[in-house]
Amino acid sequence: MNAPTPATLDSLTHPQAFSERHLGPDAQQMQHMLQTLGEDSLESLIDGTVPESIRLPAPLALPAGLSEAQVLETLKGMAAQNRVNKSYIGMGYYNTLVPNVILRNVLENPGWYTAYTPYQPEIAQGRLEALLNFQQMTMDLTGMDLANASLLDEATAAAEAMTLLKRANRSKSQRFVVADNLHPQTIDVVKTRAEFFGFEVVVGNPAELLAGEEAFGVLLQYPASTGAVEDIEPLIQLAHERKALVAVAADLLSLVLLKSPGEMGADVVFGSAQRFGVPMGFGGPHAAFFATRDSYKRSTAGRIIGQSIDANGAPALRMAMQTREQHIRREKATSNICTAQALLANMASFYAVYHGPVGLKRIAERVLRLTSILAQGIRASASLSLESDHWFDTLCVRVGEQQSAILARAYEQGVNLRPVGDDRLGISLDETTQAADIEQLWSILLGADHGLSVATLDASISAAAAAGIPAELRRRDPILTHPVFNRYHSETEMLRYLKRLENKDFSLAHGMIPLGSCTMKLNASVQMMPLSWPEFANIHPFAPRDQVGGYLQLIDQLEAMLVEITGYDKVSMQPNSGAQGEYAGLLAIRNYQQSIGEGHRDICLIPSSAHGTNPASAAMVAMKVVVVECDEQGNVDIDDLRAKAETHRENLSCLMITYPSTHGVFEEGVREICEIIHANGGQVYMDGANMNAQVGLSKPGLIGSDVSHLNLHKTFAIPHGGGGPGMGPIGVKSHLAPFLPNHVVSPIAGPRAEMGAISASPFGSASILTISWAYCALLGGEGLKRATEVAILNANYLTEQLSAHYPVLYRGRNQRVAHECIIDIRPLKERSGISEEDIAKRLMDFGFHAPTMSFPVPGTLMIEPTESESKVELDRFIEAMVTIRGEIARVESGEWSLEDNPLVRAPHTQADLVGDWDRAYSREQAVFPVPGLRESKFWPSSNRIDNVYGDRNFVCSCPSIDSYRD
Ligand SMILES: *Cc1c(COP(=O)(O)O)cnc(C)c1O
C-alpha cells in the first residue's frame, strides 16, 4: 500500500468553518435523506424543486464565509470605530446599568432568547409570568387599569395610541392635537401614520389648539421632551370637556416619583421601557409600554397576557383574546403589530423585580437630586439660565450664542449633549451619572474655573430649591406592592427566580420548534456576542454620525449583502418588525404613485393564503383589499388574479404576494403574476418573510417584484426572543428608493427629505443587525445557498416520511415542497374527533413545540424544520408523529373513548402522575410514549389551558396578594 499523500492547506477545510456547524445534517445524513427521496444529489433535488424560470443565472457575488474567530475580529474592528461618548442626549434613550444577573441569564441565555411567541402556553409559563410582571409594572407606574405586553417603540406606540383614541371616541372629528413638547421623532412617526388614516395632525400649544375646532384626541408628554415637569391635569380636563380623549407619553423612571397620568385622568399612557436595564443599542431593540382603560381592552393593539385555568382548574397564564390577532381580523384589523419586543419587556420587568419599589425609588431620587444640583450650579452662573423651574432628570439650558462652542467643548471631553434649537442645550441624567460627571458638565458649560462643588451644593441647597418636582406632582400612592417585586432582591434569589421561569419554557435549547412561516433556525452563540460589547450597546441613536463609523459601516455592508441576496437596489433598515416593513413598503408604493400623479390607486390584491399582517398593513395605508383565490394546489388562481387586476386596472395599486407561497410551494406562475400586475399599472410587493427557501437560489428582484421586507428574525438568524425583537428591513427597486422612510432627528441619505419616519430611530433596532451581519459573513455566498438547499432537503425529507401517515395538503412540481409543508388533520378529525390542537399539545409530551396551527388553512399543521435540524432530530419528530398517528388510530377504532385518551388529555404534567390514575392509558404511555424520553424529558408545567375561560374572566394583572395566601 502507498502511504497516503499529505493534505495540502487548500484541501483542508478551515477547522472552524461555520457552515458545517450551522447545518443540522452532516454529509452522510444528507446522503441518506437524499436516498429516501430518490435523489442522487442535493443539486438534483433543487433542480427538480425550484422552477427553472426563477433560478439565479450566477452564484451570489458574496465573499467566502469567515470563521467564527475572523467574524469576531472584524466586528471588533468595526466596534472600535464607534466612539462611546457619555450621553446626555436623552429624548427617550438613556444610559442604564443592566443588572449583570439579567444580562448573563436572560439577554445572553438561549433559554430565554430562542423561545417562540407563547402561543403554546403550557410550555411558556415562564415568559408569560415575566410578561405579566411587565404589565403589572406598567399599570402600577402609569396608574392605568390595563397594559399590554409591549409594542415596538415609543413613537409607534404613540401612533397606536392615536388610532385607539379615534376608535374609542364617538367624535366625528378627524383632528388630532399634538403638543409641541413631545420628542420630535414621536411627532414624526405620528404624522406619517396619520396621513393615510386621513387624520389632521396639528402640533402646538394644546390649550390653544383645543380652544379651536373639535378634536378626537390629544397627545401630551410628561415630563416634556426638554425636561419640564408640568401639571397636565388641567389640560386633560380641558380635553375631556371638549370631547377629546388624551394619550400621554411618559417616562417610566420619572413615574416612580411623579403623580401618575392615570390619576390625572389620561385615557392612554405609553412610553419606552428602555431605561429599565436595556442598553440603548443605537436605537434598539427596546420594549414600549402601553396602558389604557379597561373598557378599551378589546381595541388595544399588541398582545395582552391574561390569567386562565388549566384542565385541572389550576391557574395558568396565556395570551388573552388571541382572536384579536391580526391574522384573524385581516383587513378589519386596526393595527398590524405581530412580533413585538418580548425579550426586552422581560428584561425591563426583571429590572423592576430586582430593584423593587425601594430600589427604584433610590435610583429615581438620586437622578433627581443630581439634576437639582446641576440645575443649582447653572442657576448660579451669570451667563446661563434654565428654561423650566421644574424637572426630573432633564434640563434645558439657555446658552444663546455659545451653543456651538459648548457643544464642541463637550465633544472634546467625550460628552454628548442635545442641541435644542440654536440657542439651548438639553442635558439628561440617568442612573449611571456620578458626582464627578456633574462637575464635568459644569466645566463644559461654564468653564473650568466654575468654582462649584457637588458636595457643597448638596449640603447647602434647601429642600425647596432642590425640589425639581412641585409638591402637588409628587406621587403619593405606593407602587409595585405585589410580592413579585418585593422578593427577589438578593442575587441568589434573583438567579433562582430567573432559572425557575426559564425552566418552564420550551426553547431551541430543548428541541426543534418546527413552525411553518416562522423559520426557527440556529441562533449561533458567536452571532450573539457583539450585542453585549459596549461599543455596540452604549450608543445613543442620535449620537453625531462622526461617532458611529462602526455602526454605519456595519449597516452599509449588511445593506450591500441584502441587495445582492434580494436583487433590489436599496435597503432601508428602519422597520423594526416584518409588519413594520410591510407598512413601510406599502407607503413607498403609495408615495411613489402619488409622485407620478397616480395617487388615486388604492386597490391591493392579496391572495387568500396571505399572512394576516398583509391585509392589516394594506388597511393602514388606506388601501382596499381585494382577495384573490387560490386553486386546489394552493397556487394563486392566475385567471382570478388576471380578472381582478383588469377589473381594477384604473385603481390597482399593488399585489402583495408571499413567495414561496404561504402554502409552502414554489409557484410556477410567479413571473407571469408579476407581469400581469405591472401590465395593469400596479406594483408588486413580495412578502419576504420566507426568504429561507430563496436565498442563493432565486431573488425577489429577479422574479419581478418591486419591494419586499425581510424578516431578519426568521431567515437571518436573529433569535425570536419569545415574541420579539425583530427587524424587517425592506428592499426596493430604484424607482421606490426616494420614498423610503427618512428621519426628522437624524436624516438619512437617499430618501426624499419630506418622507416621514416609521420608527423612533433611524435604523430601527440597530444593535441586532450585528447578528444578521455575522450570519451572512459566517456563511458567505456558498454557505447561504447551501443553507437554503438543506432547508429544502429537510422539509422534503420530513414531508416524505410523514406523508405515509398524514395527508400532505400542497405540493409543487415533482411532488416537492419548498421549505415547509402543511399536513391536513381535517379528515382525521372527521373520523376520530382528534383535532390539530390535540396533536399540538400531545407533541409537548414528546418534547416538541407544536408546528404552526391552523394557518394558513384551518385544521392543519404547517411544519418547517429549517436547515439547522439534524436528521437525528427530524427522525425523533417523525417518530413522535407516527406514534401519535397510532394513538389516533386507537381512538378511531373505539379502543379509547374521545374523552379519555392521551391526546385530548395532553399535555401531561408531573402532577398528573401522583395520586390515583383512572385513565384508559397508562402513566408510562402518558409521559414516556417513546423510549428516548426516559433519557431526556421536558415537562410541561400546566395541563391544557382553557382559552375561553380566560377571555370570559379577563384578568391581566398579577394574581392578587390574597391568592398567594391560599
Ligand atoms: C412572520 C411573518 C410576517 C410578520 O412579521 P412580524 O415580524 O411578526 O411582524 C409577515 N409575513 C409572513 C409571511 C410572515 O411569516
Side-chain angles (χ1 to χ4, degrees):
M1 276 214 3
N2 290 336
T5 29
T8 63
L9 196 54
D10 262 357
S11 70
L12 286 168
T13 1
H14 194 289
Q16 229 204 346
F18 178 74
S19 184
E20 288 175 29
R21 304 290 185 193
H22 176 72
L23 299 176
D26 61 21
Q28 212 181 346
Q29 291 177 346
M30 283 193 227
Q31 213 42 53
H32 187 100
M33 292 197 285
L34 285 163
Q35 266 166 24
T36 56
L37 292 171
E39 299 283 356
D40 306 332
S41 64
L42 203 47
E43 287 63 39
S44 70
L45 169 71
I46 299 304
D47 290 344
T49 303
V50 186
E52 182 63 39
S53 60
I54 61 155
R55 288 293 295 273
L56 290 188
L60 289 177
L62 292 176
L66 301 180
S67 72
E68 296 192 25
Q70 287 169 324
V71 150
L72 289 180
E73 208 177 286
T74 313
L75 282 167
K76 273 269 178 248
M78 286 190 209
Q81 296 171 54
N82 288 336
R83 203 167 126 191
V84 188
N85 270 13
K86 180 101 194 160
S87 174
Y88 298 96
I89 297 172
M91 301 178 84
Y93 302 91
Y94 307 88
N95 302 293
T96 180
L97 298 167
V98 188
N100 288 310
V101 66
I102 297 173
L103 178 71
R104 174 153 287 202
N105 296 289
V106 181
L107 183 63
E108 296 177 344
N109 177 355
W112 282 98
Y113 67 67
T114 68
Y116 180 56
T117 307
Y119 284 110
Q120 300 294 339
E122 296 84 359
I123 51 172
Q125 290 295 305
R127 59 193 184 281
L128 285 164
E129 178 170 329
L131 291 171
L132 189 78
N133 294 345
F134 180 79
Q135 291 176 181
Q136 184 68 56
M137 166 189 92
T138 304
M139 287 154 63
D140 278 14
L141 290 173
T142 59
M144 303 300 288
D145 311 325
L146 173 115
N148 74 11
S150 86
L151 293 178
L152 293 166
D153 59 37
E154 178 165 334
T156 55
E160 298 288 354
M162 169 175 69
T163 55
L164 175 62
L165 296 189
K166 177 65 187 161
R167 290 194 297 281
N169 195 337
R170 288 201 204 96
S171 160
K172 290 267 175 297
S173 168
Q174 296 287 94
R175 191 160 171 265
F176 189 60
V177 169
V178 177
D180 51 10
N181 61 12
L182 267 89
H183 295 318
Q185 72 273 16
T186 307
I187 299 179
D188 195 11
V189 170
V190 164
K191 280 183 172 165
T192 309
R193 194 74 75 86
E195 185 185 347
F196 286 102
F197 282 123
F199 302 154
E200 180 203 355
V201 174
V202 283
V203 183
N205 177 325
E208 285 167 17
L209 293 170
L210 278 167
E213 223 178 293
E214 191 177 330
F216 71 84
V218 183
L219 187 54
L220 306 175
Q221 186 166 318
Y222 172 74
S225 180
T226 50
V229 174
E230 279 159 21
D231 189 357
I232 54 171
E233 199 162 352
L235 272 178
I236 295 176
Q237 273 169 12
L238 174 68
H240 286 166
E241 277 160 27
R242 305 276 301 144
K243 303 267 185 299
L245 297 174
V246 182
V248 178
D251 171 77
L252 216 45
L253 191 61
S254 72
L255 290 183
V256 171
L257 303 181
L258 289 174
K259 184 169 172 185
S260 71
E263 201 180 331
M264 298 178 179
D267 302 290
V268 174
V269 187
F270 65 90
S272 169
Q274 179 265 319
R275 69 191 309 178
F276 274 29
V278 183
M280 292 189 285
F282 197 41
H286 326 119
F289 63 87
F290 191 94
T292 187
R293 295 180 184 281
D294 188 65
S295 47
Y296 302 156
K297 64 176 174 246
R298 282 173 210 279
S299 34
T300 300
R303 297 170 175 138
I304 301 178
I305 309 309
Q307 287 183 54
S308 188
I309 51 170
D310 74 7
N312 282 330
L317 303 170
R318 88 298 173 234
M319 294 198 290
M321 300 177 290
Q322 283 188 36
T323 47
R324 295 156 55 261
E325 291 256 319
Q326 24 64 25
H327 70 263
I328 295 175
R329 299 195 40 102
R330 301 184 69 89
E331 58 273 16
K332 292 193 191 65
T334 44
S335 160
N336 68 347
I337 187 165
C338 182
T339 290
Q341 303 279 21
L343 184 70
L344 305 312
N346 287 338
M347 285 181 72
S349 84
F350 288 137
Y351 178 94
V353 165
Y354 195 42
H355 287 300
V358 175
L360 287 179
K361 260 180 221 152
R362 210 152 53 196
I363 293 169
E365 291 285 7
R366 194 167 175 282
V367 169
L368 172 64
R369 183 76 183 175
L370 285 167
T371 312
S372 298
I373 292 169
L374 176 66
Q376 207 59 17
I378 292 169
R379 279 173 161 177
S381 89
S383 56
L384 308 179
S385 63
L386 296 179
E387 202 173 60
S388 169
D389 291 332
H390 300 293
W391 53 77
F392 164 64
D393 66 346
T394 299
L395 301 175
C396 186
V397 191
R398 295 199 191 95
V399 295
E401 287 172 356
Q402 298 184 69
Q403 195 198 50
S404 49
I406 295 176
L407 272 176
R409 212 148 58 211
Y411 294 142
E412 246 164 55
Q413 299 195 29
V415 165
N416 288 347
L417 306 175
R418 169 186 178 188
V420 180
D422 57 6
D423 60 352
R424 283 155 298 160
L425 290 170
I427 305 176
S428 294
L429 307 190
D430 54 60
E431 65 166 324
T432 69
T433 311
Q434 309 281 334
D437 296 323
I438 303 297
E439 286 168 11
Q440 182 183 35
L441 284 168
W442 280 327
S443 68
I444 289 168
L445 291 166
L446 305 166
D449 53 353
H450 55 76
L452 298 161
S453 134
V454 168
T456 319
L457 274 181
D458 189 30
S460 69
I461 50 177
S462 69
I469 298 175
E472 68 276 14
L473 290 182
R474 273 263 173 183
R475 182 182 277 270
R476 313 234 173 272
D477 54 332
I479 53 163
L480 307 178
T481 54
H482 193 276
V484 75
F485 299 110
N486 294 282
R487 278 187 180 176
Y488 308 113
H489 298 161
S490 79
E491 183 164 332
T492 301
E493 285 292 333
M494 187 67 191
L495 175 69
R496 289 177 189 159
Y497 180 57
L498 294 174
K499 196 47 100 179
R500 200 155 73 233
L501 296 191
E502 179 195 339
N503 286 347
K504 292 182 179 182
D505 287 12
F506 191 91
S507 73
L508 285 177
H510 299 103
M512 176 160 65
I513 303 184
L515 278 170
S517 203
C518 211
T519 316
M520 300 289 286
K521 64 170 65 176
L522 169 75
N523 315 118
S525 301
V526 63
Q527 294 156 5
M528 295 295 292
M529 290 168 69
L531 261 187
S532 305
W533 298 349
E535 298 89 343
F536 287 119
N538 300 338
I539 304 281
H540 192 286
F542 307 148
R545 288 286 167 86
D546 61 4
Q547 293 174 15
V548 294
Y551 257 122
L552 297 180
Q553 192 184 343
L554 177 97
I555 290 166
D556 278 353
Q557 290 186 7
L558 181 59
E559 176 179 354
M561 292 191 278
L562 295 179
V563 159
E564 173 59 17
I565 288 167
T566 57
Y568 287 119
D569 298 313
K570 194 74 200 142
V571 170
S572 165
M573 298 292 179
Q574 199 172 111
N576 48 12
S577 75
Q580 284 278 79
E582 292 172 19
Y583 173 69
L586 293 177
L587 265 185
I589 290 178
R590 277 232 130 185
N591 285 321
Y592 161 73
Q593 287 173 337
Q594 252 167 23
S595 78
I596 54 168
E598 300 194 347
H600 63 281
R601 291 186 174 273
D602 66 351
I603 298 289
C604 180
L605 300 182
I606 301 185
S608 55
S609 63
H611 195 272
T613 50
N614 292 1
S617 301
M620 288 172 64
V621 293
M623 287 190 191
K624 298 194 189 92
V625 175
V626 173
V627 177
V628 179
E629 298 309 326
C630 291
D631 65 17
E632 265 116 74
Q633 282 81 50
N635 295 318
V636 170
D637 179 338
I638 296 191
D639 292 335
D640 188 50
L641 175 97
R642 185 181 288 108
K644 284 174 174 153
E646 283 168 5
T647 310
H648 296 288
R649 66 172 308 143
E650 295 305 315
N651 294 315
L652 180 65
S653 175
C654 64
L655 164 77
M656 291 187 91
I657 184 171
T658 304
Y659 200 76
S661 78
T662 326
H663 289 149
V665 291
F666 285 106
E667 290 180 48
E668 301 279 338
V670 63
R671 268 178 181 272
E672 188 187 350
I673 288 172
C674 294
E675 282 158 17
I676 294 171
I677 296 304
H678 287 144
N680 287 286
Q683 297 279 300
V684 176
Y685 186 104
M686 186 172 285
D687 184 327
N690 290 346
M691 279 294 287
N692 218 43
Q694 270 198 71
V695 176
L697 298 180
S698 180
K699 298 180 180 181
L702 178 92
I703 296 172
S705 125
D706 301 289
V707 43
S708 295
H709 73 268
L710 305 173
N711 275 18
L712 300 188
H713 48 304
K714 293 177 181 170
T715 310
F716 296 92
I718 292 176
H720 213 74
M727 270 295 277
I730 56 173
V732 292
K733 291 272 175 69
S734 57
H735 64 283
L736 295 177
F739 307 97
L740 289 172
N742 210 320
H743 198 278
V744 70
V745 182
S746 186
I748 298 164
R752 289 191 181 171
E754 70 268 24
M755 290 300 120
I758 56 114
S759 296
S761 71
F763 304 105
S765 297
S767 64
I768 52 177
L769 293 176
T770 51
I771 302 169
S772 295
W773 183 94
Y775 174 77
C776 294
L778 285 159
L779 285 180
E782 258 309 298
L784 285 167
K785 171 165 172 261
R786 179 51 54 122
T788 308
E789 291 170 342
V790 175
I792 293 172
L793 170 64
N794 275 0
N796 278 286
Y797 173 71
L798 211 58
T799 305
E800 196 60 30
Q801 301 293 313
L802 291 177
S803 64
H805 309 272
Y806 298 89
V808 172
L809 202 51
Y810 302 119
R811 295 175 189 257
R813 59 156 57 182
N814 298 321
Q815 296 299 301
R816 298 294 183 221
V817 299
H819 61 305
E820 58 194 5
C821 78
I822 299 180
I823 58 172
D824 195 352
I825 310 302
R826 291 168 298 186
L828 271 177
K829 184 174 176 189
E830 206 143 287
R831 294 202 302 271
S832 66
I834 297 299
S835 70
E836 71 283 2
E837 186 176 23
D838 298 324
I839 298 176
K841 303 301 176 188
R842 183 64 174 145
L843 275 168
M844 295 173 186
D845 289 332
F846 287 81
F848 286 102
H849 190 289
T852 300
M853 230 167 57
S854 290
F855 170 81
V857 185
T860 64
L861 293 172
M862 179 158 58
I863 307 166
E864 177 180 355
T866 84
E867 70 278 14
S868 302
E869 297 299 343
S870 68
K871 179 170 177 295
V872 176
E873 183 71 355
L874 299 182
D875 287 342
R876 195 171 76 84
F877 182 74
I878 293 159
E879 179 193 36
M881 289 298 288
V882 172
T883 308
I884 288 174
R885 182 65 189 84
E887 292 178 348
I888 297 172
R890 294 170 75 172
V891 180
E892 265 176 281
S893 71
E895 183 186 342
W896 282 334
S897 75
L898 188 52
E899 292 71 42
D900 189 12
N901 64 67
L903 294 145
V904 297
R905 303 190 79 164
H908 296 84
T909 64
Q910 287 176 339
D912 285 333
L913 301 182
V914 296
D916 293 339
W917 185 268
D918 56 355
R919 305 188 182 190
Y921 55 97
S922 70
R923 289 182 169 92
E924 286 72 18
Q925 192 126 34
V927 301
F928 295 134
V930 292
L933 289 167
R934 288 178 187 268
E935 261 172 53
S936 166
K937 169 85 183 167
F938 179 86
W939 290 96
S941 58
S942 291
N943 290 111
R944 187 93 55 105
I945 294 175
D946 188 336
N947 283 318
V948 178
Y949 177 91
D951 284 347
R952 276 210 205 108
N953 305 279
F954 183 72
V955 181
C956 68
S957 51
C958 287
S960 74
I961 297 174
D962 288 345
S963 72
Y964 275 75
R965 294 204 189 93
D966 296 346

